[in-house]
Amino acid sequence: MAALKRYQHYINGEWVDPSNDEWIESYNPYSGKPWAEVPRGDAADADRAVSAAFKAYTSGDWPNVGATERGALMRKLGDLIAANSQKLAAIEVQDNGKLMAEMGAQLGYIPQWYYYFGGLADKIEGSVLPIDKPDTFNFTVHEPLGVCVAITPWNSPLLITAWKLAPALAAGNTVVIKPSEYTSASTFEFVKLVEEAGIPPGVINVVSGYGNEIGEALVAHEKVAKVSFTGGTVSGTRVYENAASGLKKVSLELGGKSPNIVFDDCEIDNAVKGAISGIFAATGQTCIAGSRLLVQESIHDEFVDRLITLAKTAKMGDPMSIETQVGPVTTPPQYKKILSYFDIAKEDGAECVLGGSKSDDPSLEHGWFVQPTIYTGVRNSMRIAQEEIFGPVLSVIPFKDDDHAVEIANDVVYGLASGVWTQSIRRALEISKRIQAGTVWVNTYRAVSFVSPFGGFKRSGLGKESGQHAIREYMQTKSIWISTAEEVPNPFIIR
Ligand code: NDP
């Protein structure tokens, strides 16, 4: 058997082995076989990476790189990602099983985050304040935080890295990235471009390993100023608790159970496609999955028939093939988790009208394939309607009218995203205002952009990524006072 490709940690501009010399195999979800090894980092590696990032933040070249120059370096990095996009996309597909059709386009789009935030780097202006004190000049400056830790999940490693790294760098911070141990390879390949872009050593570091080992050590490290995490709500809560002891700044982008609401005045063909893209794209392994499909009673049966007809045409197969529409699940635990929900749905009395098991296609037996699945007769209180499954499993829930739709949509602990399908502008705006979620898509689904803020309400997270104010999540404001008085007045009273 050919030797597995081995990746090392990237710390202070150098490739280094993990201090314990332990490695984790990385699997191809389509073949079910290991293809690479990544370091199983521990607390010692976390300390090496954070110390390098801290040194780069406080001394060396980076503190003297002005905002305009940072922007230029980031644009160069964006250009390099664009030039290597197909290679990076192929590694993502090999490691996480997402479709080449999607990852090729996604990698082509990722440079935009580096261009956008690179352009923003020298446009963050402080203010001179009309201060109410005589002989006093007061102004504000917005400064970086220091060392930022970016923890990313397995579903879209390089896109989510860009959402964190681009604003962090533009603000002048240094960064340690910890990808999921299932999908670290693409982040290691990406970081090879950093040196070529001319970004000084130590500014961007990448270490891999388990969340409860190196992940926790990074979050707890005393020299870390900020943690930006994307992943499940259970892990995110733990990160929040661990960061609290050091009063670190935290951004959390967590799970969802997003309602995709179809009114009877919608354009049915488009809404059917919107329901499909909400749940079967990325094999449902996306935080924004429209996993609760709320359909108005008057069109419920017709809509479900059309949905099943279209879903049945989904072609499962090799994610590298451009023809494939539904790929494998990324990890064995995730595969088992999804299958377990089929029993849960049965116990709860939901009716399975499509799928409901692993794939029975012998040509896919080595990979972790789950059939696109649709349940009807779902009550919003059922576990399949309340818990994030993170797979191609759709719960269809009927509703009577607008109030009923909003009541069901908001009756969940999450609040990440939502969809509304209607031809009425009045209804679109009214429902958008009433939904408790950070994103509402009207007559579309699963659209993201570097321009538009993204982040959850309720237990879907804290803070925003993308959009102009995302850079403020990586900055702090300082107020500077200058007295022009000739004499210091009475020192025993507050000014
Ligand atoms: P996790 O949330 O556990 O993993 C996300 C990242 O966090 C990984 O890099 C992980 O490392 C790391 N991590 C985990 N625990 C800690 C910790 N205590 N401190 C620091 N870092 C940590 O996702 P899972 O893979 O366990 O998936 C579980 C569920 O989470 C899924 O079934 C899905 O419902 C949800 N999920 C949501 C995502 C989203 O985009 N919102 C993305 C992924 C999962 P490592 O994996 O290497 O241990």
Side-chain angles (χ1 to χ4, degrees), residues 152 154 178 181 209 211 216 229 231-232 235 254 287 334 337 388:
T152 59
W154 37 263
K178 208 292 286 175
E181 95 269 6
E216 296 217 354
F229 172 93
S235 305
L254 307 177
C287 50
Q334 189 58 33
K337 177 179 166 179
E388 186 178 49

Side-chain angles (χ1 to χ4, degrees), residues 333-350:
Q334 189 58 33
Y335 180 60
K336 281 198 205 109
K337 177 179 166 179
I338 296 168
L339 297 183
S340 76
Y341 273 94
F342 297 142
D343 294 331
I344 292 168
K346 205 171 180 181
E347 277 163 29
D348 281 357

Side-chain angles (χ1 to χ4, degrees), residues 151-155 178-182 209-212 215-216 219 229-232 235 238-239 242 253-255 287 334 337 388-390:
I151 299 179
T152 59
W154 37 263
N155 52 340
K178 208 292 286 175
S180 162
E181 95 269 6
Y182 293 108
Y210 294 113
N212 60 359
E216 296 217 354
V219 173
F229 172 93
T230 299
S235 305
R238 176 112 183 107
V239 166
N242 287 340
E253 200 271 275
L254 307 177
C287 50
Q334 189 58 33
K337 177 179 166 179
E388 186 178 49
I389 302 174
F390 224 63

Side-chain angles (χ1 to χ4, degrees), residues 6 12 59 96 98 100 116 123 126 137 172 176 217 234 330 360 370 377 397 438 462 464 489 491:
R6 182 172 267 196
N12 203 27
S59 60
N96 80 355
K98 269 188 149 177
M100 190 61 192
Y116 179 82
K123 292 167 193 70
F137 181 59
V176 179
V234 173
T330 304
D360 52 11
V370 176
I397 306 171
L462 292 174
K464 295 285 175 197

